[in-house]
Amino acid sequence: MFSRDRWDEILQALTANKFRTFLTAFGVFWGITILVLLLALTNGLRNGVTADFGNFATNSMFMWTQGTTKAYKGLPKGRRFNFKLDDVETLKREIPELRYVSPRHQLGGFNGANNVIRGTKTGAFSIYGDYPEFIKQQPMDILQGRFISYSDIDSKRKVCVIGQDVVKAMYDKDEDALGTYIKINGVNFLVIGTFKASNSGDEEEDANTIFMPFTTFGQAFNRGDSVGWMAITAKDGTSVTSVKAKILELMRASHKVHPDDERAIGNFDLSEAFGRVNGLFSILGVVGYFVGALVLMSGIIGISNIMLIVVKERTREIGVRRALGASPWTIKSQVLQESLLLTIISGMVGISFAAFVIFILNYILDKSGPVDNFANPSVSMSVIFIALFILVISGLLAGLIPANSATKMKPVDALRME
């Protein structure tokens, strides 16, 4: 039941020594601020590092050929070999857990020699030969036109989809790229679409990329039915890591590679790497909670000590109230309420201050541009609710010892205290 007189007494007790109350509250304020900021910074690091994975399906792996390191079935050590299009069909047929198996070719790079010409303009860009499903593995925003289709694959059409920085480099401002031709390594290609990277790990490189049909790439640049490398994505509910050994075993058998030759086929397991990163930041989150809780605990101990002093100073008052018929619970509840009020107010101010600091950090990041391995520091509402829960529990614990001390006093002894 709400009692205005009770709350007037609580406020009067807390404002009797303002400086002492401020110093006591500052411990809790600083503890909760550190807790929220640590978790926000951890999330900022997580967001920055996971952004390096781009928007590529994280349940994926990449696979390419290297030289053999062991002789096998009469074939020498150091033999070079290439994947073939038949290998793609073999993987799809033998391993039903796979959702996409995309063969890829690559030519040049945006930091390499010039390989694209349009009129008097030249540029160096990354050229990829791909199948239509690749856009489902690495989503991108199509700004104009369309992506590669199976009709393009079957007809080996000399068409391409170009990144937004290719458009800026090869076209005048406001010039429409759609329906025009560019020359790639001496071969003319019709531009059927333009795209922008969608939350990519390396936006600069992706923006300087050109995609064309895989079959067209093979014909135009004499690659035949060979495959440069593969991007493989497992179905939902199946980790690509769990089928990786089977994939590699199948490819070794197809190309007469020794079963124990682990270096003949290179691979990068994006799912495994993403899992390690997530595990690391989960640990950092726990460390953030632990460190923040320790700092907060020091503030709670400060409140408990001050409340013990307050109880000592009000010994005669407590004695008078007990002599007038106040129950032990009435005395205890007032001390607990004072402790809880001080803890919650200082904690809420700390949360508000931390939110302001996070806002300033995000504002600076927005104005200064992207920062490597750090993006969008923030905390979820669940963290705020957890912080509030910690505050309530902490406030009760901080007042428990002083409250018990107050109720143990006998009214006669309390009245004798000077």
Side-chain angles (χ1 to χ4, degrees):
M1 183 176 178
F2 178 79
S3 173
R4 182 169 182 175
D5 291 338
R6 169 73 63 82
W7 284 103
D8 285 341
E9 288 181 27
I10 292 172
L11 293 175
Q12 185 177 0
L14 292 177
T15 56
N17 192 326
K18 294 184 177 64
F19 186 67
R20 183 174 67 188
T21 300
F22 168 77
L23 291 180
T24 305
F26 184 80
V28 175
F29 160 83
W30 189 244
I32 204 70
T33 299
I34 293 296
L35 174 61
V36 174
L37 287 180
L38 278 175
L39 296 176
L41 294 174
T42 300
N43 279 338
L45 286 171
R46 183 198 294 267
N47 294 336
V49 173
T50 53
D52 289 340
F53 288 92
N55 212 30
F56 206 95
T58 53
N59 194 21
S60 302
M61 65 173 285
F62 308 105
M63 183 172 64
W64 59 92
T65 60
Q66 302 176 146
T68 60
T69 59
K70 294 182 179 182
Y72 186 61
K73 289 187 177 180
L75 297 172
K77 172 183 174 181
R79 176 173 58 95
R80 305 291 301 184
F81 64 98
N82 292 309
F83 290 134
K84 302 292 183 181
L85 280 174
D86 288 344
D87 293 326
V88 175
E89 297 306 318
T90 299
L91 288 173
K92 290 179 178 178
R93 182 180 64 253
E94 298 295 331
I95 308 178
E97 295 90 349
L98 299 181
R99 186 174 185 181
Y100 302 118
V101 181
S102 298
R104 305 196 73 193
H105 275 310
Q106 182 177 359
L107 180 70
F110 79 98
N111 284 325
N114 290 340
N115 54 10
V116 178
I117 300 173
R118 181 176 180 268
T120 59
K121 296 182 179 181
T122 62
F125 305 104
S126 297
I127 317 297
Y128 290 97
D130 279 299
Y131 271 75
E133 57 262 31
F134 183 73
I135 197 173
K136 297 177 181 177
Q137 293 175 285
Q138 182 174 325
M140 59 192 78
D141 298 327
I142 300 298
L143 303 177
Q144 285 183 295
R146 62 177 176 85
F147 194 63
I148 298 160
S149 70
Y150 268 99
S151 175
D152 301 324
I153 293 287
D154 296 337
S155 303
K156 298 181 181 179
R157 290 177 184 152
K158 291 181 176 134
V159 295
C160 64
V161 182
I162 62 178
Q164 57 183 352
D165 280 3
V166 180
V167 176
K168 292 177 183 176
M170 307 303 292
Y171 294 84
D172 295 330
K173 188 177 181 181
D174 298 327
E175 187 178 4
D176 190 1
L178 218 59
T180 63
Y181 284 87
I182 58 175
K183 188 173 287 188
I184 302 173
N185 273 22
V187 181
N188 284 315
F189 285 84
L190 174 68
V191 177
I192 59 169
T194 63
F195 75 93
K196 177 178 78 169
S198 178
N199 189 28
S200 169
D202 192 336
E203 292 185 8
E204 182 182 6
E205 181 174 0
D206 284 347
N208 283 280
T209 295
I210 299 174
F211 292 103
M212 65 177 65
F214 181 88
T215 51
T216 306
F217 190 108
Q219 184 181 62
F221 305 120
N222 300 317
R223 300 297 175 91
D225 66 342
S226 68
V227 172
W229 49 291
M230 298 188 204
I232 302 171
T233 303
K235 291 180 179 178
D236 294 341
T238 301
S239 169
V240 76
T241 305
S242 66
V243 295
K244 180 170 67 173
K246 189 175 180 181
I247 292 170
L248 296 175
E249 180 184 353
L250 197 58
M251 289 298 97
R252 289 190 192 107
S254 296
H255 293 276
K256 297 182 180 179
V257 175
H258 195 288
D260 298 329
D261 191 348
E262 296 184 356
R263 299 183 64 182
I265 299 176
N267 69 89
F268 176 72
D269 189 340
L270 188 63
S271 174
E272 188 176 50
F274 191 74
R276 284 198 300 267
V277 168
N278 268 340
L280 171 64
F281 284 107
S282 295
I283 293 172
L284 285 178
V286 172
V287 171
Y289 272 111
F290 181 71
V291 173
L294 288 180
V295 178
L296 181 61
M297 187 60 67
S298 65
I300 298 304
I301 291 172
I303 288 182
S304 185
N305 287 334
I306 292 302
M307 292 307 297
L308 281 170
I309 294 172
V310 169
V311 168
K312 187 72 173 177
E313 291 175 347
R314 294 163 60 188
T315 301
R316 284 184 61 83
E317 176 193 332
I318 292 171
V320 170
R321 295 184 60 174
R322 290 292 305 278
L324 292 175
S327 66
W329 171 246
T330 302
I331 303 297
K332 181 183 287 188
S333 63
Q334 182 169 344
V335 175
L336 286 173
Q337 284 174 338
E338 290 177 15
S339 173
L340 194 59
L341 180 65
L342 185 59
T343 304
I344 290 178
I345 290 177
S346 53
M348 291 300 294
V349 173
I351 291 173
S352 301
F353 179 73
F356 175 73
V357 173
I358 293 169
F359 171 79
I360 295 298
L361 276 175
N362 279 293
Y363 178 80
I364 293 172
L365 288 173
D366 288 341
K367 292 296 181 182
S368 62
V371 176
D372 289 342
N373 298 325
F374 191 77
N376 187 29
S378 59
V379 291
S380 63
M381 286 304 298
S382 61
V383 171
I384 300 301
F385 288 129
I386 290 172
L388 289 173
F389 176 75
I390 291 173
L391 286 175
V392 172
I393 298 300
S394 300
L396 291 173
L397 291 176
L400 196 59
I401 296 175
N404 286 332
S405 175
T407 55
K408 286 178 182 178
M409 294 181 188
K410 294 179 180 180
V412 176
D413 295 335
L415 290 170
R416 289 174 179 170
M417 292 292 291
E418 292 294 336

